[in-house]
Amino acid sequence: MTAAPTPAGGGLPAGPPLPGGLDTPCLVIDLDVVERNSQRMAAAMSERGIALRPHIKTHKSVALARIQLVAGAVGLTVGTIGEAEVMAKGGVEDIFIAYPLWASDPKAERLRQLLEMPALRLSVGIDTPAGAARLARAIGEPIDRLIVLVEIDPRYHRTGSDPDRAGEVAQAAQAAGLHVSGVFTHGGHGYAGIEASAVAARDEVEALRRAADSLRRAGVEPEIISAGSSPTAMGAAQPPVNELRPGVYLLGDRQQVHLGASPPDGVAVAVAATVVSDAVEGQVVLDAGAKSLTKDAPAYLAGHGFLPAYPDGVVERVSDYHGVVTFPEGGDRPKLGEVVAVIPNHACPVVDLFDTFVAVRGGQIEGRWPVDARGRSG
Amino acid sequence: MTAAPTPAGGGLPAGPPLPGGLDTPCLVIDLDVVERNSQRMAAAMSERGIALRPHIKTHKSVALARIQLVAGAVGLTVGTIGEAEVMAKGGVEDIFIAYPLWASDPKAERLRQLLEMPALRLSVGIDTPAGAARLARAIGEPIDRLIVLVEIDPRYHRTGSDPDRAGEVAQAAQAAGLHVSGVFTHGGHGYAGIEASAVAARDEVEALRRAADSLRRAGVEPEIISAGSSPTAMGAAQPPVNELRPGVYLLGDRQQVHLGASPPDGVAVAVAATVVSDAVEGQVVLDAGAKSLTKDAPAYLAGHGFLPAYPDGVVERVSDYHGVVTFPEGGDRPKLGEVVAVIPNHACPVVDLFDTFVAVRGGQIEGRWPVDARGRSG
C-alpha cells in the first residue's frame, strides 16, 4: 500500500474536532453532526413520503436513538434480541428485529418477555417456512402480539427468500398463526463500490416489488415494504417502498464518504489515539489497533482508518493495541505524544468495541455516554 | 475461496465440545484444555530454566490468569494500563505492561494510582529516550517503585529500539531517575507462516543478545531478557533469553494450529453459533458475524473461522450478525436451527467482543465467567 486513494465520493472525511485531555484510545462522537445527519435523513424520507426506521446497530446508544426518534423516525430497527431488549428497556416502543430469528428455547423465552411489555410494538424477520413454524411453536400464546415481515433476497445472496416465492413463506407464517405485515430487504452488495450502490438500490426496489406481488397472490396484503442500507437509501426511496432502514448515516464513516452516502463533513465519529512510538524509522505507532479500529478494510480503502489531520498517512498494519502509520517520504506526520483523530473505515464494529463514548458539542465534552447495547450480538 | 486449505501445522483444530441449551452467539472456553495448555507451557519453560510471564490480552480473565499463576508463571504480561488495573484489582502482584507507554496526564495519573498499591510490582516498557523522559517527569515521586524495560525491535518493525542503540534508551531512562531492569521484544513477524515463526524466534534471540550487550556497554546490567509470542516461544527459549511472554497458547486458535504452535487438540475456545437461514441455495447463515468472529483473517486461512464438525465449510463472508458458510457441492452441512462450534482464526480480538464466556469442564457448564478486562484497550 502507498498513499490513500482519493475517495470516490469526492472528498476527504473531516471528522469531529477533538477536545483536549482525552485518555486514549477512546471513541468520540460529535452531537452537532449527529443531529444534522439525523434531520437530513428524516427530511429526505419525509419529502418522499417514506417512513424512516433507522438501524441502531451502528451506535447502540439509547440517547442517540432518541435523537433519531425526535427527528421523525417512526421506530427503530435492530439486528438482535439483545439490542431490542436494551432499546425497549430504554423506553422505545416500536422495534423491528430485521433478522431471520431462529427461535431456540432461550431466544423464544426472551421474545416472550419482550412481548409482555404492554407498550411495545415488536416485529421480527423470517425467511423460511421452517423458521416461521418454529417461531410460532416456540412463542406459544403471546403470538398474537408478534408481527413478522418476510425477508427478501435482493441478489445480495446472504439471507432472504427468493422474491417470487415470498408468498409461500408468508402463507406458512399465517398458517402457523403469525401476523404478517410485509416484506423487507437489505442490499448489502451496495457496499462493493459507488456504482454497486446504485445497482443494489434498484435491486432492492425490484425485489420488493416482486415480493409484494407474490404476497398478494398468496392472499397476504403487504402493508410494510421496507428497504434498507445507508448507501442505497436515496436510490431505494421510491414506490412501492414505503419504509427505509439506513443505519450508518447517523455517524458516517470513511466507507460511507467513499460511497458518496455521507458528505465529507458528515462524519460524526472518530477514534482518538496517541502517538506512542516513533522508534522505527518512517512511521509512527498509535495506541489504537485492531481492538479499537477492527481489521474491517474494504478493498477500495487503503489501510485501517483515515487521519484527517495527516491525510497522507496510511494506517498500514494493526495489531491488538498498535496502529502502524506510514507516510510518504518527507510527508507531514504527528509527533510522539500527539493525539490524533482516526476516522474508522466502518463505524458499526468499531463502536461495538467501546463501553462508552465521549459526546462532544461545539468541540466541548458534553459527557461520557454509554454504548448501551455494546456486545449484545445475540 | 474454495475449501479450507490443509493447515500447515498438520492437523485440523478440534475445539471444545458444546454443552446443550446455549443462547448463541456465545463464547465457550474449555477449562480442561486451558489447564493442560497452561501446564504444558509452564513445564516447557521450567525445563529450560526460563521464567514464564504469560500475556493475558488473549483471555482478559482474572480466573484464567490465576490458572496460569498456579501452574508456575512468575507474573503476568499485559498490553494496557486498563488490563493492569483489572489484574491488580484481582489480586495479581507482579504485572509487566509490555508496551511503550506515552505518559499523558490521564495515563500518568492511573500509573500513580497503581504504584500506590503496596504489594504490586509494576514494570512498563519504553522504546525512546523521549518516552522515558516523559514517563519520569509525569510520574513524579512514586518513580522509585516503577521498573522499566527497554523494548527492542527484532526486525518486526513495529515498535522498539534498534538493538545496538538500546543502551542509549536505557541510559536516558536511568538519567531521568527510572530503574531499568532489562530488555524485551516481540517477534510478531512470526505470524506470517510456519517458516516465518522459526525466523522470528531466531531474530528475537539475536536482537535481545545485541541489546543486552548494548545495555552493558552503557553500564546498565540487563537482569531480565524477555522474548515473547506463542509461535516463537519454543524457538526463543534459549540463552541469553531468561523470560518468555506467550499469550495465545492458553486458548489456542486456528492460526496457532496452522503455525504448529498449538496441537490440534489444544484449542480451548470456540464461538457457538446457530444456523438461522438456509434460504439462499448452497450455503447456510450463522448468527455469528463480524461482531462475534471479527474480520481477522490471515492470508493462509480460508474464511473467518473453522467448523470442526463440518471441516469442508468455509465462513466465506461475515457482516455484523451474519456468517455465510459455503460448502463444496454435496458436502455435509448443518441444518437450520443446529448449533455449531466455530474456531476463531485469532482468539485475542474475538474474546474482547464478549462480556462473559461459558466455562465448560468435561462437556458440562461450570459457569458464566466474566471477561474482566474486556474493552480495556488503553
Side-chain angles (χ1 to χ4, degrees), chain B residues 12-376:
Chain B
L12 295 170
L18 297 185
L22 294 174
D23 192 5
T24 63
C26 64
L27 189 69
V28 176
I29 295 181
D30 188 320
L31 299 177
D32 295 319
V33 180
V34 160
E35 285 172 5
R36 202 165 65 218
N37 290 346
S38 164
Q39 287 153 10
R40 185 192 287 136
M41 184 63 81
M45 291 305 129
S46 169
E47 271 170 29
R48 291 161 176 80
I50 286 178
L52 174 63
R53 184 183 287 278
H55 206 309
I56 60 79
K57 76 183 169 73
T58 299
H59 58 73
K60 291 175 167 265
S61 152
V62 173
L64 298 189
R66 282 266 157 238
I67 291 175
Q68 293 175 299
L69 291 166
V70 166
V74 299
L76 300 182
T77 304
V78 302
T80 68
I81 297 179
E83 289 178 349
E85 288 164 341
V86 169
M87 293 296 144
K89 204 174 151 193
V92 177
E93 297 187 340
D94 187 339
I95 299 173
F96 171 39
I97 307 177
Y99 194 85
L101 289 181
W102 179 261
S104 65
D105 292 348
K107 290 274 186 290
E109 178 53 32
R110 291 166 66 192
L111 279 176
R112 274 194 298 270
Q113 285 182 15
L114 281 171
L115 291 170
E116 276 173 19
M117 299 177 77
L120 181 65
R121 179 188 183 277
L122 183 69
S123 40
V124 309
I126 50 169
D127 75 347
T128 56
R134 166 79 199 190
L135 181 64
R137 202 168 56 240
I139 292 294
E141 210 189 306
I143 198 173
D144 58 339
R145 295 210 50 224
L146 186 64
I147 300 159
V148 299
L149 285 88
V150 180
E151 183 172 7
I152 309 302
D153 179 12
R155 308 201 309 160
Y156 178 33
H157 305 318
R158 184 178 68 177
T159 46
S161 164
D162 179 289
D164 301 321
R165 303 186 63 179
E168 294 171 31
V169 183
Q171 253 175 348
Q174 274 199 341
L178 293 161
H179 172 64
V180 180
S181 77
V183 289
F184 76 105
T185 196
H186 169 68
H189 50 315
Y191 275 88
I194 197 162
E195 284 167 35
S197 295
V199 172
R202 285 197 296 273
D203 286 346
E204 286 184 321
V205 177
E206 171 65 11
L208 289 172
R209 192 188 56 70
R210 282 162 51 197
D213 287 348
S214 174
L215 259 67
R216 289 191 192 99
R217 283 196 305 274
V220 182
E221 182 54 33
E223 303 152 44
I224 298 170
I225 300 177
S226 178
S229 92
S230 295
T232 61
M234 295 307 165
Q238 53 173 287
V241 173
N242 60 20
E243 179 183 280
L244 267 164
R245 309 183 323 280
V248 195
Y249 79 94
L250 192 73
L251 300 185
D253 58 23
R254 190 180 178 206
Q255 191 167 244
Q256 297 295 326
V257 174
H258 176 92
L259 295 171
S262 171
D265 67 351
V267 179
V269 63
V271 172
T274 300
V275 177
V276 293
S277 175
D278 62 359
V280 174
E281 219 160 321
Q283 66 186 35
V284 301
V285 178
L286 303 178
D287 61 0
K291 284 179 179 169
S292 300
L293 295 170
T294 79
K295 287 194 177 173
D296 204 308
Y300 48 76
L301 294 177
H304 300 276
F306 177 73
L307 283 62
Y310 299 95
D312 293 334
V314 176
V315 186
E316 189 103 29
R317 292 188 283 157
V318 285
S319 35
D320 281 4
Y321 302 127
H322 301 75
V324 177
V325 191
T326 58
F327 300 88
E329 188 86 19
D332 190 27
R333 64 192 65 188
K335 285 180 203 46
L336 197 57
E338 189 171 330
V339 176
V340 295
V342 186
I343 308 288
N345 287 348
H346 183 193
C348 307
V350 167
V351 172
D352 193 44
L353 296 172
F354 293 88
D355 289 325
T356 60
F357 62 91
V358 179
V360 297
R361 195 187 284 282
Q364 300 297 310
I365 297 179
E366 183 116 342
R368 243 186 193 283
W369 292 12
V371 181
D372 305 279
R374 199 223 68 75
R376 303 296 299 265

Side-chain angles (χ1 to χ4, degrees), chain A:
Chain A
M1 268 184 269
T2 56
T6 306
L12 294 170
L18 297 185
L22 294 174
D23 192 4
T24 63
C26 63
L27 188 70
V28 176
I29 295 181
D30 187 320
L31 299 177
D32 295 319
V33 180
V34 160
E35 284 171 5
R36 202 164 67 218
N37 290 347
S38 164
Q39 287 153 11
R40 186 190 288 136
M41 184 62 81
M45 290 305 128
S46 169
E47 270 170 31
R48 291 162 177 81
I50 286 180
L52 174 63
R53 184 184 287 278
H55 206 309
I56 59 78
K57 76 183 170 75
T58 300
H59 58 73
K60 290 174 167 267
S61 151
V62 173
L64 298 188
R66 283 264 157 238
I67 291 175
Q68 293 174 299
L69 291 166
V70 166
V74 299
L76 301 182
T77 303
V78 302
T80 67
I81 297 179
E83 288 177 349
E85 288 164 340
V86 168
M87 293 296 144
K89 204 175 151 190
V92 177
E93 298 187 342
D94 187 338
I95 299 173
F96 172 38
I97 307 177
Y99 194 84
L101 288 182
W102 180 262
S104 64
D105 292 346
K107 291 273 187 291
E109 177 53 33
R110 290 166 66 193
L111 279 175
R112 274 194 299 269
Q113 285 182 15
L114 281 171
L115 291 170
E116 277 172 18
M117 299 178 77
L120 180 66
R121 179 190 182 277
L122 183 68
S123 39
V124 309
I126 50 168
D127 75 346
T128 56
R134 166 79 198 188
L135 181 63
R137 203 169 54 239
I139 292 295
E141 211 189 306
I143 199 172
D144 58 339
R145 295 210 49 225
L146 185 63
I147 300 159
V148 299
L149 285 89
V150 180
E151 183 171 8
I152 309 302
D153 178 14
R155 307 202 311 159
Y156 178 32
H157 305 318
R158 184 178 69 176
T159 47
S161 164
D162 179 288
D164 300 320
R165 303 186 62 179
E168 294 171 31
V169 182
Q171 253 177 346
Q174 274 199 341
L178 293 161
H179 172 65
V180 181
S181 77
V183 288
F184 76 105
T185 196
H186 168 69
H189 49 314
Y191 274 88
I194 198 161
E195 284 167 36
S197 296
V199 172
R202 285 197 297 273
D203 285 345
E204 285 183 322
V205 176
E206 171 65 11
L208 289 172
R209 192 189 56 68
R210 281 163 51 200
D213 288 347
S214 174
L215 259 67
R216 287 190 193 101
R217 282 196 306 273
V220 182
E221 182 54 34
E223 303 152 45
I224 299 171
I225 299 177
S226 177
S229 93
S230 295
T232 62
M234 296 306 166
Q238 54 173 289
V241 172
N242 59 19
E243 178 183 281
L244 267 164
R245 309 183 323 281
V248 195
Y249 79 93
L250 192 75
L251 300 185
D253 57 24
R254 191 180 178 205
Q255 191 168 245
Q256 296 295 325
V257 174
H258 175 93
L259 295 172
S262 172
D265 67 351
V267 180
V269 64
V271 172
T274 301
V275 177
V276 294
S277 175
D278 62 359
V280 174
E281 218 161 320
Q283 67 185 36
V284 302
V285 178
L286 304 178
D287 61 0
K291 284 179 179 169
S292 299
L293 296 170
T294 77
K295 288 193 177 173
D296 204 307
Y300 48 76
L301 295 176
H304 300 276
F306 177 73
L307 282 63
Y310 300 94
D312 292 333
V314 176
V315 186
E316 189 102 31
R317 291 188 284 158
V318 284
S319 34
D320 281 3
Y321 302 126
H322 301 77
V324 177
V325 191
T326 58
F327 301 88
E329 188 86 19
D332 189 28
R333 66 192 65 190
K335 286 181 204 43
L336 197 56
E338 189 171 331
V339 176
V340 296
V342 186
I343 308 288
N345 287 348
H346 183 194
C348 307
V350 167
V351 171
D352 193 44
L353 296 172
F354 294 87
D355 290 325
T356 60
F357 63 90
V358 179
V360 298
R361 195 186 284 281
Q364 301 296 311
I365 296 179
E366 183 116 341
R368 239 183 197 285
W369 293 12
V371 181
D372 304 279
R374 199 223 69 74
R376 304 297 299 264
S377 299

